[in-house]
Amino acid sequence: MEAPEQLTSGDFTASMEPFLLFEEWFAEAKESEPNDPHAMALATVDADGLPDVRMVLLNQRDARGFVFFTNTGSAKGRELAAVPKAAAVFHWKSLRRQVRVRGAVETVSDAEADAYFASRPRLSQIGAWASQQSRPMGGRFALEAAVAKVTAQYALGAVPRPAHWTGFRIRPVQIEFWHDRPFRLHDRVVFARENADMTDWTKTRLFP
Ligand SMILES: Cc1cc2nc3c(=O)[nH]c(=O)nc-3n(C[C@H](O)[C@H](O)[C@H](O)COP(=O)(O)O)c2cc1C
């Protein structure tokens, strides 16, 4: 993504483009967070409409949206297959900032998933095959045995990407920025658009 326009932290509410503002805040979070500035809580809903939430790592991001990778057979994978919509929130404690994202979810292309999978450490690749994410597991040994089996299976050459492991892209229709201010008079700005193909956003300040 292109270098973000420079904004001082104090006047982020003047920004007109949420992806650029995200880039600026993310760059600052990478400097100040002790770990995982790209960690975000990802909310989905199950078949009963009951929300579910867990942490994932933001991987790629561009004007199309925010991508994370996971196992499609996991709880989140199954929930997204049934209801392809999600919300995510970043909380950068060191900056006292929050960014919320909401939108429909699509899977990334096979080429994108293959490229990222190929860039991962070999042990992570093996883990993606070995872990039946979110399924009941008898004991730790079951995972270790699965890792040993996959390691033997792919002893030579590259480990291919499992079909059950891919990326999901949240295509935001709403991105909200929140910055702590004294006496709980926080700054909140929400950018919204009717659909994720639009490039124009409406910007609204909200009471904190
Ligand atoms: C900081 C952090 C980052 C994580 N990143 C991912 C991730 O990128 N992908 C993933 O599948 N699980 C990730 N996890 C594990 C998930 O939180 C979760 O335990 C797992 O994906 C199963 O969730 P589910 O049963 O709701 O599908 C991460 C956990 C933490 C604490």
Side-chain angles (χ1 to χ4, degrees):
M1 181 159 237
E2 287 176 16
E5 61 192 359
Q6 286 303 306
L7 292 167
T8 61
S9 302
D11 72 354
F12 80 91
T13 59
S15 175
M16 294 307 293
E17 213 296 318
F19 288 116
L20 292 173
L21 183 55
F22 182 88
E23 286 304 309
E24 187 192 354
W25 280 25
F26 190 48
E28 290 180 46
K30 282 196 266 191
E31 294 297 316
S32 65
E33 284 293 294
N35 53 45
D36 294 340
H38 53 322
M40 58 184 186
L42 173 83
T44 51
V45 289
D46 72 9
D48 296 325
L50 185 65
D52 205 354
V53 64
R54 80 291 286 159
M55 301 304 294
V56 293
L57 296 179
L58 173 69
N59 186 267
Q60 297 144 24
R61 62 194 192 282
D62 57 28
R64 292 173 298 171
F66 299 84
V67 175
F68 60 90
F69 284 85
T70 194
N71 184 316
T72 56
S74 67
K76 76 182 93 47
R78 285 176 272 140
E79 286 162 4
L80 286 170
V83 183
K85 297 178 184 180
V89 61
F90 298 84
H91 179 206
W92 294 310
K93 292 188 177 70
S94 60
L95 297 173
R96 298 180 181 277
R97 288 178 183 169
Q98 161 178 263
V99 178
R100 299 164 64 179
V101 174
R102 301 174 75 205
V105 170
E106 64 183 17
T107 48
V108 303
S109 69
D110 285 347
E112 286 174 277
D114 287 344
Y116 176 57
F117 189 79
S119 77
R120 302 187 83 208
R122 192 175 179 84
L123 281 177
S124 302
Q125 295 174 334
I126 287 170
W129 278 103
S131 172
Q132 298 173 42
Q133 196 177 51
S134 312
R135 305 284 182 187
M137 184 173 82
R140 184 81 200 171
F141 179 73
L143 181 60
E144 286 164 8
V147 167
K149 192 172 158 211
V150 176
T151 304
Q153 193 177 349
Y154 295 111
L156 296 175
V159 180
R161 176 176 64 88
H164 63 252
W165 190 94
T166 191
F168 290 91
R169 176 179 292 109
I170 307 175
R171 302 193 64 216
V173 288
Q174 208 172 310
I175 307 180
E176 184 196 307
F177 296 82
W178 180 104
H179 190 184
D180 176 87
R181 303 268 288 179
F183 308 111
R184 309 219 170 267
L185 300 177
H186 315 301
D187 275 330
R188 275 181 84 184
V189 171
V190 61
F191 293 86
R193 55 185 178 181
E194 267 173 38
N195 67 68
D197 294 323
M198 295 168 66
T199 51
D200 288 341
W201 298 83
T202 59
K203 185 180 82 171
T204 310
R205 289 187 75 134
L206 302 177
F207 281 103

